[in-house]
Amino acid sequence: IENIMFSQFLNNIDWDLDFEEMWYKLKKSIYYFNQITFFPSDDLKEIFNKNISKLSILSNLWEEFLKDKDIILDILWDNKKKTYAIMFQNQDEIRPMWGFMWSAAIIELYKWKVEKFEKKDIYALEWGMKPFTEIAPEWINKLTPTLWLRDSNYFIDFRDSSAKIRFFMKKAGENIEWIVYLNNNIILDYLDLLGPVRFTKINRDIDSSNFNMIMSTLVES
């Protein structure tokens, strides 16, 4: 099974015939199953309803997959390497696009494998750009005369901010094709699901109520 290249499998499928027809037959099956109204026992009815619910969810996911199949195939990294930048943003320092970008992960993916993973401090990336400088745009120039990567998410529009980030990344020697933004709220969501985590270095539990305060204090110090 480890030798099966799933993305190549998807490329070889006759989408218009196989998947469309299979989805149509699934919907047709669900329709006919829903005509059944009599069950000899409550247990059988419960099992039936659970399976119909699962099939309905599958049908809905299938429909969305068929709508976006070209995009899905494009991001499966089968034809060439794809380079992603994951921008980690701190919402305690507000920016038009959520928060201050304090670090980035540079990831290269090819044939369903991670071929490169590097996490870099935002300032370390900027050091690779010197002696390059760019004049800060209006309003940002009230804070600083020059614009750097750390402030390049000042556009409220994702597309504009992403274009600027890619521009600066290229100056730092990183050719980025895709950008993913993560802010610290995702950690709060995980902590709500998992519960508190013991942080031995400060001898206390961290949960969603104190994570931002503790992390910001440690980072700023």
Side-chain angles (χ1 to χ4, degrees), residues 1 3-15 18-19 22 62 65 73 76 78-79 111-112:
I1 188 69
N3 294 323
I4 295 175
M5 192 180 299
F6 183 62
S7 53
Q8 191 59 51
F9 164 72
L10 292 176
N11 277 321
N12 291 340
I13 289 172
D14 185 345
W15 289 91
D18 301 292
F19 270 63
M22 289 165 66
W62 206 316
F65 185 69
L73 285 169
L76 287 178
D78 184 59
N79 297 321
K111 301 291 186 183
W112 282 69

Side-chain angles (χ1 to χ4, degrees), residues 165-217:
I165 290 168
R166 288 181 64 194
F167 169 80
F168 277 111
M169 284 286 195
K170 192 170 184 179
K171 293 290 183 183
E174 302 285 353
N175 289 310
I176 303 300
E177 296 173 89
W178 298 74
I179 296 178
V180 178
Y181 298 91
L182 291 181
N183 62 56
N184 39 347
N185 274 356
I186 196 171
I187 306 297
L188 306 186
D189 292 340
Y190 278 127
L191 288 170
D192 282 335
L193 287 170
L194 299 173
V197 175
R198 189 68 179 176
F199 195 177
T200 55
K201 288 186 181 296
I202 61 173
N203 195 31
R204 66 180 298 177
D205 290 340
I206 290 183
D207 57 28
S208 59
S209 67
N210 63 15
F211 172 81
N212 280 345
M213 178 187 69
I214 291 173
M215 288 298 111
S216 290
T217 301

Side-chain angles (χ1 to χ4, degrees), residues 75-78 80-86 105-120 173-178:
I75 63 174
L76 287 178
W77 331 299
D78 184 59
K80 66 171 187 174
K81 289 183 182 180
K82 298 273 186 174
T83 305
Y84 288 72
I86 301 179
I106 311 299
I107 304 174
E108 281 186 3
L109 299 157
Y110 184 51
K111 301 291 186 183
W112 282 69
K113 292 181 179 179
V114 177
E115 293 205 339
K116 173 184 174 182
F117 180 90
E118 294 179 356
K119 185 171 175 292
K120 297 187 177 183
E174 302 285 353
N175 289 310
I176 303 300
E177 296 173 89
W178 298 74

Side-chain angles (χ1 to χ4, degrees), residues 132-170:
F132 169 80
T133 57
E134 180 171 323
I135 303 300
E138 189 178 6
W139 298 111
I140 294 290
N141 61 11
K142 307 292 183 185
L143 303 173
T144 174
T146 55
L147 184 68
W148 291 90
L149 175 60
R150 74 194 84 151
D151 293 317
S152 57
N153 63 344
Y154 71 91
F155 295 103
I156 200 166
D157 182 86
F158 274 80
R159 189 180 300 275
D160 293 337
S161 281
S162 298
K164 204 64 184 176
I165 290 168
R166 288 181 64 194
F167 169 80
F168 277 111
M169 284 286 195
K170 192 170 184 179

